[in-house]
Amino acid sequence: MNEYQNTYEKEINLMELFVFCLKKWRWVLIAMLLIGLLAGGYKYWSINKSNQAVLSAEGQEKEEETETEEEEEIVVPGPQDYTDRYEVAIEKSLESLEEQEAYMKDSVIMQLDGNHLPTGILTFYVAVGEEAAGANVLDTLVSAYAAYVRDGRLAKELEDVDPDVSLSDLQYLLSFSNNQSGVSGVTMAQLETGWPTQNVLEIRIFAKNETLCAAYLEAIEEAVLAYSQELQATLPAHELRVLAATQSERMSSSIIDSQRQIVANITASFKNVQALQAELKAYKEAKIAEEKAKEEGAADSAEEKKEGETETVKPVWVNPVSGAVKFGIIGLVLGVFLVGFAAILVYITSGKLQSVECFEEEFGMKLLGRVADTGKGKNFIDRLVYRLEEGPYADIPYEEQIKIVAANIKAASKGLQKIMLAGTMSEKVLEDVCAKLKAEITGVEFSTYKQLVFCAAALEEVNEYDGVVFLERKEVSTTKLIHREKELVESRDVKVIGTVAV
């Protein structure tokens, strides 16, 4: 048997348990929202998945009806008419088609002849000194120039050359290469220099005509050399020289492929619009035929079935929002129950000092009083919980509570000159309470707050005092340690005056 286990049996006070659960209202709120969102989100996902299966089944059934050429009643899944959906889809498709046609009309790329493109190639030579020589240095420099070309900064510098070319088109027309075997317009004699480390960079641009191509080459040379000066401040010192600037007429398979792809996209968009318009027309005609059939009593003839034939119940479209809301509400309620159940388990199994109603019966010590937070400065819910927990005691001001405790200590410690203040809490937590008690009780020497269970030096000092007053906090101090510290004091023949619940 546990040496600190006593025969006292405490009945659980339902009101105390209820107040303890109310104190966890923040966790209750978090659990409600979390479980509610999870339940609602899961239901929304499952209903959407079911609706997709309904739509898929309807599409498959429509295909089978077309193949067998059987006239059947058109069933529209969902709570609304498909006419609006068709019209919105057609409108968006037309807008997309207009944007693609506008791009094909205004884009410079679409105006170029991919088989005969004026091409400008500017070749640079990067040289570094012997002190900074090395593959890593060259790789860093080449990466910097490549990024300058490919991330659009160089294209931004070339916008003024031809205002008719958009920034995105201009960036597409630019390319960068640092493969020495593939550079153009440079002889081997030009590559044979006196620097120990070298590399050749090539910037290529396609233009509408030779005049613009020449202008672009001049602007590129100026921009790249200016950027080279900027790099001197952050990257290793190097020298950038222009080796060659050439113009030629070339073919670009990438531009030809891009033009073909744009034309193919426009053709596909146009066919999609035509298909949607045809489907909308057929849908409207089917709706008119359906209404006419109902007026003529076609519904009665459709109910006549062959003997033994069963009618198939078709699934219907369900609104996912309403289902998600219902499950969300169920999740909110479930969150309350889960946190409440967890709080009850904590209350029963934590071993904390939960109540002081039967303190003397449980611990065999006098309860000298309560020093509780009056609830000021807290929010409305915390103040309400405090009043439920304390009852009429909640109206007693904090200073008056200190005085009541001090009066009880005086009455219980008559004739004692030295009193130790002890407990299982940290000194910093109870610093204010200890200071106010010492100020109220004169003629008695009090110690600083001691933790007898955790400090051997404090145990050695117990015999120097006439009595001990314990200060413990509800829902923090453990009952096992309270029993232990009481036994430690009594075993040294020192009087236990009582306990103050904080």
Side-chain angles (χ1 to χ4, degrees):
M1 178 181 292
N2 191 324
E3 60 178 320
Y4 304 115
Q5 181 179 357
N6 56 26
T7 58
Y8 170 77
E9 295 182 358
K10 179 181 177 181
E11 295 182 357
I12 296 177
N13 189 318
L14 295 181
M15 186 60 186
E16 289 180 1
L17 181 58
F18 175 69
V19 172
F20 178 82
C21 294
L22 280 182
K23 289 181 180 180
K24 312 301 180 184
W25 66 269
R26 292 178 178 83
W27 289 104
V28 173
L29 182 60
I30 293 173
M32 288 173 59
L33 294 176
L34 181 60
I35 298 178
L37 288 175
L38 290 175
Y42 171 77
K43 188 62 177 176
Y44 186 90
W45 171 81
S46 62
I47 293 178
N48 267 340
K49 188 176 181 180
S50 176
N51 287 340
Q52 290 176 1
V54 171
L55 295 176
S56 176
E58 287 295 332
Q60 184 177 359
E61 182 181 352
K62 187 174 181 181
E63 291 178 0
E64 292 176 355
E65 291 174 356
T66 304
E67 292 175 358
T68 58
E69 297 181 356
E70 295 178 355
E71 294 183 358
E72 295 183 1
E73 182 181 2
I74 300 177
V75 180
V76 181
Q80 61 182 9
D81 195 340
Y82 275 142
T83 303
D84 294 338
R85 297 185 182 182
Y86 274 116
E87 291 176 350
V88 171
I90 291 173
E91 183 180 354
K92 291 184 178 179
S93 298
L94 287 174
E95 291 177 358
S96 176
L97 181 61
E98 290 176 0
E99 292 176 359
Q100 293 178 14
E101 290 176 345
Y103 177 78
M104 185 175 68
K105 180 180 178 181
D106 300 333
S107 175
V108 174
I109 295 177
M110 297 301 298
Q111 300 172 11
L112 298 176
D113 182 1
N115 294 310
H116 305 283
L117 277 176
T119 306
I121 301 175
L122 198 60
T123 308
F124 295 92
Y125 172 77
V126 181
V128 295
E130 293 182 0
E131 296 179 357
N136 291 336
V137 172
L138 278 177
D139 289 344
T140 302
L141 293 171
V142 171
S143 298
Y145 285 111
Y148 178 67
V149 175
R150 292 167 180 166
D151 63 11
R153 285 178 288 171
L154 178 57
K156 187 72 176 176
E157 299 291 336
L158 306 179
E159 276 188 309
D160 296 337
V161 176
D162 186 2
D164 295 335
V165 182
S166 66
L167 182 61
S168 60
D169 287 348
L170 186 56
Q171 188 173 349
Y172 182 82
L173 296 174
L174 280 167
S175 63
F176 175 87
S177 173
N178 67 311
N179 185 3
Q180 295 185 15
S181 62
V183 296
S184 305
V186 183
T187 65
M188 292 303 298
Q190 290 175 305
L191 292 176
E192 294 176 356
T193 61
W195 285 280
T197 307
Q198 61 185 21
N199 206 343
V200 178
L201 312 179
E202 179 183 279
I203 299 176
R204 179 178 301 183
I205 186 167
F206 298 113
K208 291 188 293 186
N209 51 57
E210 295 179 356
T211 303
L212 280 175
C213 186
Y216 276 128
L217 288 177
E218 292 179 4
I220 291 172
E221 179 178 348
E222 181 180 352
V224 173
L225 291 177
Y227 179 67
S228 176
Q229 294 299 320
E230 295 179 9
L231 291 179
Q232 301 295 333
T234 56
L235 295 180
H238 66 283
E239 182 179 359
L240 186 70
R241 289 187 175 184
V242 179
L243 292 183
T246 61
Q247 284 186 239
S248 61
E249 186 176 278
R250 298 191 178 190
M251 181 186 76
S252 174
S253 58
S254 62
I255 290 181
I256 294 175
D257 293 340
S258 177
Q259 292 172 341
R260 290 175 179 173
Q261 184 62 44
I262 292 172
V263 173
N265 291 342
I266 293 175
T267 303
S269 298
F270 180 74
K271 290 182 178 179
N272 182 51
V273 172
Q274 288 183 325
L276 288 173
Q277 291 173 341
E279 289 180 12
L280 176 59
K281 182 179 179 181
Y283 178 73
K284 289 181 177 179
E285 291 176 353
K287 290 288 290 182
I288 294 173
E290 179 187 358
E291 293 174 359
K292 185 177 180 180
K294 287 182 179 180
E295 293 175 358
E296 295 176 354
D300 295 335
S301 61
E303 292 177 359
E304 298 177 0
K305 302 289 182 179
K306 295 181 180 180
E307 186 176 353
E309 183 180 356
T310 58
E311 184 178 0
T312 303
V313 179
K314 296 183 179 180
V316 263
W317 187 90
V318 181
N319 187 355
V321 176
S322 61
V325 171
K326 292 178 183 177
F327 265 65
I329 294 174
I330 295 174
L332 295 178
V333 177
L334 181 61
V336 176
F337 281 101
L338 288 177
V339 176
F341 179 72
I344 292 173
L345 289 180
V346 171
Y347 181 86
I348 296 174
T349 63
S350 65
K352 302 291 185 181
L353 178 62
Q354 303 291 359
S355 172
V356 294
E357 294 297 325
C358 302
F359 187 86
E360 292 189 30
E361 291 84 347
E362 184 175 359
F363 297 99
M365 293 186 289
K366 290 184 179 180
L367 182 66
L368 300 175
R370 288 288 314 280
V371 179
D373 189 355
T374 59
K376 293 182 179 180
K378 296 183 178 181
N379 57 53
F380 171 75
I381 299 178
D382 290 333
R383 290 197 299 271
L384 177 61
V385 173
Y386 175 76
R387 297 194 67 84
L388 288 174
E389 181 181 20
E390 300 298 332
Y393 196 79
D395 296 326
I396 302 176
Y398 179 75
E399 298 296 334
E400 190 65 27
Q401 294 178 22
I402 294 288
K403 293 179 180 179
I404 292 173
V405 171
N408 290 335
I409 293 176
K410 289 178 182 178
S413 61
K414 287 183 178 180
L416 303 182
Q417 300 299 320
K418 296 181 66 177
I419 296 176
M420 173 182 281
L421 299 178
T424 59
M425 304 296 296
S426 65
E427 180 180 359
K428 186 176 182 181
V429 174
L430 300 177
E431 183 178 358
D432 181 66
V433 177
C434 294
K436 290 184 180 297
L437 286 176
K438 293 176 182 179
E440 292 292 334
I441 303 175
T442 57
V444 178
E445 180 183 348
F446 285 95
S447 70
T448 58
Y449 187 78
K450 307 288 185 180
Q451 292 179 285
L452 298 179
V453 179
F454 306 111
C455 183
L459 283 175
E460 294 178 355
E461 296 178 15
V462 171
N463 293 326
E464 301 176 6
Y465 292 88
D466 301 324
V468 178
V469 174
F470 294 115
L471 283 81
E472 303 293 347
R473 173 159 290 185
K474 284 179 61 177
E475 300 181 11
V476 179
S477 299
T478 59
T479 57
K480 181 179 179 179
L481 294 180
I482 295 175
H483 282 292
R484 176 61 176 162
E485 66 184 2
K486 176 194 171 187
E487 179 187 343
L488 291 174
V489 174
E490 290 179 341
S491 65
R492 288 165 172 75
D493 297 327
V494 179
K495 180 180 181 180
V496 177
I497 299 172
T499 303
V500 179
V502 181

